[in-house]
């Protein structure tokens, strides 16, 4: 057990990454966690908890933790851990998080992350946008201190920093895909039908672009869906790991259900199981209205108001579409959700969190377009997953999105988003025939696993 993994907020993408590393490292690591509840308290107090609960060992050589943990406090409270090579992973950063109200306590979270960077040996970010937005904001952030401000912190921290994208394992979801998506997949990847199953033929290299280009390389890997919990300052999508749909039956254990499921969504229990037969029944799929998916948590930083405003404008013009709102809700739900559900009426195909991972991917496979209206995103696992499921992405021309998606999938204003959707509502065949021009295989565990292994395989320090 030479690697100590610590996660102060063990949920969503934080959980997925730790589970994936633990699975890959096997007996060479030990994982210590706190549950994904009350994020602000975890950020404040996790170090003290781990001081008492992390077992001592002379075998530790590397400490890997997410930036929720105040690493400086833990290193001071546990000098034995402070001597290890310390790797800090940023899923999100507090310096660029859009707060609704500026409160005195908001300063502490960003300050904790700066302190953690100063004591870390390596600082890793899940995107270049995440890294640059953090580093270039340090100077302005420290000006909030009324006097005697520290200087040149960016220059001290930057040499430690690197970008290592969030690793996603992509399963074979061909059993969930409608015929037109399978046809695209077959065209691009050389997927061959064998009875009711599909077999992989000659796959394109990672450099090639096209619908799902290179993604099916990982179809035999166990699936880890990249998700994040809903809480201020943390990126999100929706769910955690699931077995490969090729090798395991669809099932939902009690442990798979989110601990944070909001009672406000209880009224939508009838929607919690996404039934493929219901979607495919009736008219030919190509003749069905455009199906729009929004797989984000129900909080202000994902800007649901803009999303629903655009949809309601489409509805006012009597344009046909269906919508699936798949994100998870927590304690405080913006009023716009209940208002929009009522106003959208029969256009709603699904409303609410899908605790079954198969159901979630099935819903994405049946959608045509996936939309982000986020004001805060450092990677966007949900969008990458949706593209893998054959959805046409529409994202803001801001934040991390230009780093992940080609320019044709970006919009600058809500009006541009509306015009794109208006055209798609009139001609849904446009997106159903479209071959994705981006490349997402580079975000797979197959592509990134070696880099994570190298990061965690450093030689022990001489002073241990």
């Amino acid at each position: 057990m030479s690697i100590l993994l610590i996660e102060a907020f063990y949920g969503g993408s934080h959980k997925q990454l730790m589970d994936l590393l633990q699975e890959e490292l096997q007996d060479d690591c030990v994982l210590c966690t706190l549950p994904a509840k009350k994020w602000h308290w975890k950020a404040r107090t996790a170090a003290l908890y781990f001081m008492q609960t992390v077992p001592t060992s002379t075998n530790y050589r590397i400490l890997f933790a997410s930036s929720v943990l105040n690493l400086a406090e833990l290193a001071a409270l546990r000098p034995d851990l402070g001597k290890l090579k310390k790797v800090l992973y940023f899923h999100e950063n507090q310096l660029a998080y859009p707060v609704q109200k500026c409160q005195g306590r908001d300063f502490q979270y960003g300050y904790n992350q700066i302190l953690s960077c100063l004591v870390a040996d390596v600082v890793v970010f899940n995107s270049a946008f995440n890294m640059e937005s953090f580093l270039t904001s340090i100077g302005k952030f420290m000006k909030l201190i009324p006097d005697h401000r520290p200087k040149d912190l960016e220059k001290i921290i930057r040499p430690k920093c690197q970008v290592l994208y969030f690793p996603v394992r992509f399963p074979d979801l061909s059993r969930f895909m409608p015929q037109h998506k399978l046809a695209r997949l077959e065209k691009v990847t050389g997927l061959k039908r064998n009875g009711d199953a599909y077999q992989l033929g000659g796959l394109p290299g990672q450099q090639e672009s096209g619908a799902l280009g290179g993604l099916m390389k990982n179809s035999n890997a166990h699936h880890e869906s990249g998700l994040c919990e809903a809480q201020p300052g943390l990126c999100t999508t929706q769910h955690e790991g699931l077995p490969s749909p090729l090798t395991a039956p669809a099932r939902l254990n009690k442990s798979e259900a989110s601990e944070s499921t909001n009672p406000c969504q209880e009224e939508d229990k009838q929607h919690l199981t996404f039934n493929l037969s219901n979607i495919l029944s009736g008219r030919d799929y190509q003749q069905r209205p455009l199906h729009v998916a929004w797989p984000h948590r129900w909080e202000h930083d994902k800007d649901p108001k803009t999303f629903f405003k655009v949809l309601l404008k489409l509805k006012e013009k009597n344009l046909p579409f269906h919508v699936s709102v798949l994100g998870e809700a927590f304690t405080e739900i913006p009023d716009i959700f209940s208002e929009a559900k009522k106003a959208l009426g029969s256009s709603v195909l699904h409303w609410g969190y899908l605790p079954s991972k198969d159901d979630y991917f099935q819903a994405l496979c049946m959608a045509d377009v996936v939309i982000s209206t986020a004001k805060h995103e450092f990677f966007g696992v949900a969008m990458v997953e949706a593209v893998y499921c054959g959805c046409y992405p529409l994202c803001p021309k801001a934040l991390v999105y230009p780093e992940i998606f080609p320019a044709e999938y970006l919009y600058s204003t809500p009006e541009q988003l509306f015009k794109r959707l208006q055209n798609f509502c009139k001609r849904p065949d446009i997106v159903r025939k479209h071959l994705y021009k981006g490349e997402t295989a580079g975000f797979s565990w197959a592509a990134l696993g070696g880099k994570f292994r190298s990061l965690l395989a450093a030689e022990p320090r001489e002073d241990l």
Side-chain angles (χ1 to χ4, degrees), residues 295-308:
H296 312 287
R297 61 179 153 82
W298 296 14
E299 291 194 335
H300 77 95
D301 60 299
K302 298 304 178 184
D303 198 6
K305 287 187 178 181
T306 292
F307 173 69
F308 290 124

Side-chain angles (χ1 to χ4, degrees), residues 161-182:
C161 297
Q162 61 178 271
V163 174
L164 189 51
Y165 289 115
F166 185 92
V168 181
R169 274 181 168 166
F170 298 110
D172 181 352
L173 298 176
S174 58
R175 67 184 177 129
F176 291 147
M177 290 187 177
Q179 186 59 42
H180 72 280
K181 288 190 178 182
L182 287 175

Side-chain angles (χ1 to χ4, degrees), residues 17-309:
L17 180 58
M18 289 301 185
D19 289 350
L20 182 55
L21 292 176
Q22 187 178 39
E23 177 185 340
E24 292 294 330
L25 299 170
Q26 297 183 358
D27 294 336
D28 196 33
C29 70
V30 59
L31 173 63
C32 299
T33 69
L34 277 168
K37 295 181 178 180
K38 301 187 183 300
W39 176 86
H40 294 91
W41 282 104
K42 299 299 190 297
R44 292 186 185 107
T45 65
L48 189 59
Y49 172 82
F50 287 123
M51 177 199 76
Q52 297 182 329
T53 58
V54 172
T56 58
S57 174
T58 58
N59 295 323
Y60 297 149
R61 293 293 180 268
I62 297 171
L63 189 163
F64 181 93
S66 79
S67 60
V68 176
L69 174 70
N70 188 326
L71 189 58
E73 288 182 348
L74 182 62
L77 293 168
R78 284 285 298 269
D80 59 319
L81 303 182
K83 294 178 181 179
L84 306 179
K85 175 187 175 182
K86 297 172 289 298
V87 180
L88 187 69
Y89 192 85
F90 274 73
H91 293 266
E92 60 287 312
N93 79 75
Q94 292 300 312
L95 303 193
Y97 182 76
V99 295
Q100 290 180 296
K101 297 180 181 179
C102 185
Q103 302 175 359
R105 64 181 177 84
D106 290 332
F107 179 84
Q108 193 64 38
Y109 305 124
Y111 183 70
N112 288 353
Q113 290 187 329
I114 292 172
L115 292 181
S116 294
C117 288
L118 291 170
V119 301
D121 297 292
V122 182
V123 182
V124 185
F125 293 83
N126 62 356
S127 68
F129 168 74
N130 194 0
M131 182 175 75
E132 290 302 323
S133 64
F134 178 79
L135 292 174
T136 58
S137 296
I138 292 176
K140 180 180 179 181
F141 181 80
M142 298 307 288
K143 288 181 180 179
L144 294 172
I145 300 175
D147 53 31
H148 296 86
R149 304 182 186 105
K151 298 179 180 180
D152 301 324
L153 296 183
E154 179 185 348
K155 292 181 180 178
I156 298 172
I157 294 171
R158 184 175 284 275
K160 305 179 180 183
C161 297
Q162 61 178 271
V163 174
L164 189 51
Y165 289 115
F166 185 92
V168 181
R169 274 181 168 166
F170 298 110
D172 181 352
L173 298 176
S174 58
R175 67 184 177 129
F176 291 147
M177 290 187 177
Q179 186 59 42
H180 72 280
K181 288 190 178 182
L182 287 175
R184 288 187 309 182
L185 190 63
E186 188 171 327
K187 180 178 179 180
V188 173
T189 66
L191 198 66
K192 304 298 182 183
R193 180 180 285 277
N194 180 16
D196 292 330
Y198 279 81
Q199 293 181 340
L200 294 177
L203 293 177
Q206 250 181 247
Q207 307 90 332
E208 296 184 35
S209 63
L212 308 182
L215 289 177
M216 298 305 293
K217 287 182 177 180
N218 305 308
S219 61
N220 293 324
H222 290 115
H223 169 229
E224 295 286 347
S225 56
L227 299 177
C228 307
E229 291 296 314
Q231 71 289 328
L234 288 180
C235 73
T236 179
T237 54
Q238 156 162 342
H239 52 278
E240 295 161 10
L242 97 131
S244 168
L246 290 180
T247 58
R251 62 185 182 272
L252 175 63
N253 297 325
K254 291 181 180 180
S255 60
E256 289 180 299
S258 169
E259 294 179 347
S260 304
T261 300
N262 194 288
C264 296
Q265 288 186 327
E266 288 298 297
E267 65 183 68
D268 296 310
K269 280 184 177 180
Q270 66 272 20
H271 294 297
L272 290 181
T273 299
F274 195 92
N275 192 323
L276 180 63
S277 61
N278 290 341
I279 302 307
L280 292 180
S281 62
R283 77 185 86 170
D284 177 80
Y285 192 86
Q286 290 288 5
Q287 302 302 315
R288 298 180 71 85
L290 184 77
H291 184 177
V292 177
W294 195 80
H296 312 287
R297 61 179 153 82
W298 296 14
E299 291 194 335
H300 77 95
D301 60 299
K302 298 304 178 184
D303 198 6
K305 287 187 178 181
T306 292
F307 173 69
F308 290 124
K309 184 177 180 180

